[in-house]
Amino acid sequence: MAWITALFLTRRGIWKDGSARLVLLSGAGLAVVLIDDPSFLGWVLFWTAVSLAALLPRHGFDDALAWARRLGWHAISAAIAPLKDAARVSIVRQRRGLPSSASALSGPSPRCLW
């Protein structure tokens, strides 16, 4: 439910597009189903609904092949994006001279102030 709320609050296109709102509501229904009885099919349907809600305001309805490509690319990029983000954060930390997360975690612990 947090994903749906965050998507609804951050993507203004969903507010204006009725089909995106309908798909987002169906995603909320599927989230309730996942709470009641988690399954692989429910999980896939939930993520398909969330992906459609995110992509519908920009692209609208198209043919099935175009949507299959978009959803496939969305699934692939969602798996790779955290690795790219970690690499970007590492580069920014090196440029700024900040310690990496590994060395920050292994360093001395902060003292308690009470």
Side-chain angles (χ1 to χ4, degrees):
M1 293 302 272
W3 281 100
I4 292 172
T5 304
L7 187 63
F8 183 73
L9 293 176
T10 58
R11 299 287 306 255
R12 298 226 183 242
I14 294 174
W15 297 3
K16 299 174 185 173
D17 190 3
S19 59
R21 281 190 308 238
L22 181 66
V23 172
L24 200 61
L25 281 173
S26 69
L30 288 166
V32 171
V33 169
L34 281 174
I35 291 170
D36 181 47
D37 184 24
S39 67
F40 179 72
L41 178 62
W43 190 250
V44 168
L45 291 173
F46 168 75
W47 278 111
T48 302
V50 169
S51 299
L52 279 172
L55 295 173
L56 262 174
R58 184 180 293 172
H59 298 289
F61 285 110
D62 245 350
D63 59 0
L65 183 60
W67 273 102
R69 273 186 307 171
R70 285 185 193 118
L71 290 174
W73 178 251
H74 186 77
I76 291 170
S77 65
I80 296 173
L83 300 173
K84 288 173 56 177
D85 290 343
R88 288 181 189 153
V89 168
S90 175
I91 290 170
V92 169
R93 284 183 173 273
Q94 288 175 356
R95 285 185 187 163
R96 292 184 180 173
L98 297 173
S100 68
S101 59
S103 65
L105 292 176
S106 65
S109 61
R111 294 184 182 189
C112 198
L113 297 176
W114 350 306

